[in-house]
Amino acid sequence: MAISKKRKDTLVSQYKELIDDSNAIFLTEYGGMTVKDLQELRSKVREIDGKFYITKNTLLQLALEQSDIPAPSELLVGQVATGFALGEAPTMAKTLVNYAKGDDNLTIKGGIMNLKILSASDVEALAELPSLDQLRAQILGLIDGPARGIVSTLSSGVRQVVNVVDAYAKSEEAEPEAAA
């Protein structure tokens, strides 16, 4: 079924807007997936602040060109569905890779990030990276350990000084009583 020129223009502008808002774009082949499977995947992608659309190859290529992004024509072949990472790119890659492991009908073809074309293995490597929240927790852990050591060292030194002053004060109180 042919698409009207108006509908094509609408799709190109929609794709261009998604591309401009995305931190990364992931291209997949979805041949054989059921509507239910696609809805499940879209739901998972929405949870991580992303979008997942079945895209028309020529229109997506046109939108990429309009956004001054290199269009990977070798990846835009077959039944392509595109994941747009509106949030963190590694989280989106992880979601797509994990879903593809459980469903043989979804294949990761590659992607685009920072004007660079990614291969399928690049996307899988990106999926292995920790999320931003995990990185923050790791950094806090690295900062917290030495900070605790400093606090512990300082407090033990202060505690020793207080103990010495307290022992001296008690010995001073005991001396006048012994003299009387």
Side-chain angles (χ1 to χ4, degrees):
M1 182 164 110
I3 299 176
S4 70
K5 173 84 169 119
K6 183 178 178 182
R7 177 70 178 141
K8 286 179 183 180
D9 291 342
T10 303
L11 286 173
V12 169
S13 66
Q14 180 185 11
Y15 295 164
K16 185 179 181 322
E17 184 178 329
L18 285 166
I19 290 166
D20 292 342
D21 293 343
S22 297
N23 295 317
I25 301 160
F26 300 102
L27 302 169
T28 65
E29 190 160 344
Y30 69 95
M33 288 183 73
T34 64
V35 172
K36 182 180 177 186
D37 293 338
L38 284 168
Q39 287 174 339
E40 179 185 342
L41 179 56
R42 282 185 178 128
S43 174
K44 289 181 180 190
V45 168
R46 243 188 324 268
E47 289 173 9
I48 57 155
D49 195 24
K51 302 275 184 178
F52 189 78
Y53 290 106
I54 294 172
T55 51
K56 305 281 287 166
N57 295 339
T58 54
L59 300 180
L60 181 60
Q61 186 167 359
L62 186 60
L64 287 166
E65 290 168 0
Q66 287 180 5
S67 296
D68 295 325
I69 295 176
S73 55
E74 67 279 1
L75 299 178
L76 295 174
V77 178
Q79 295 179 317
V80 174
T82 307
F84 298 94
L86 303 176
E88 297 177 27
T91 306
M92 177 66 141
K94 189 175 300 189
T95 300
L96 292 174
V97 167
N98 287 342
Y99 194 89
K101 285 180 183 175
D103 189 340
D104 293 337
N105 295 319
L106 183 70
T107 306
I108 306 295
K109 295 180 84 168
I112 304 167
M113 188 168 94
N114 297 331
L115 301 176
K116 292 184 180 132
I117 297 174
L118 306 174
S119 68
S121 59
D122 292 338
V123 174
E124 289 174 8
L126 185 61
E128 298 297 319
L129 293 176
S131 70
L132 189 59
D133 289 338
Q134 290 170 327
L135 285 174
R136 286 179 180 147
Q138 289 174 355
I139 290 170
L140 284 176
L142 291 172
I143 292 170
D144 187 48
R148 270 184 210 219
I150 291 170
V151 168
S152 175
T153 302
L154 290 176
S155 67
S156 69
V158 170
R159 194 172 322 133
Q160 289 174 352
V161 170
V162 169
N163 287 341
V164 168
V165 171
D166 184 48
Y168 182 75
K170 287 181 182 175
S171 70
E172 289 292 316
E173 287 177 2
E175 283 183 18
E177 289 175 7

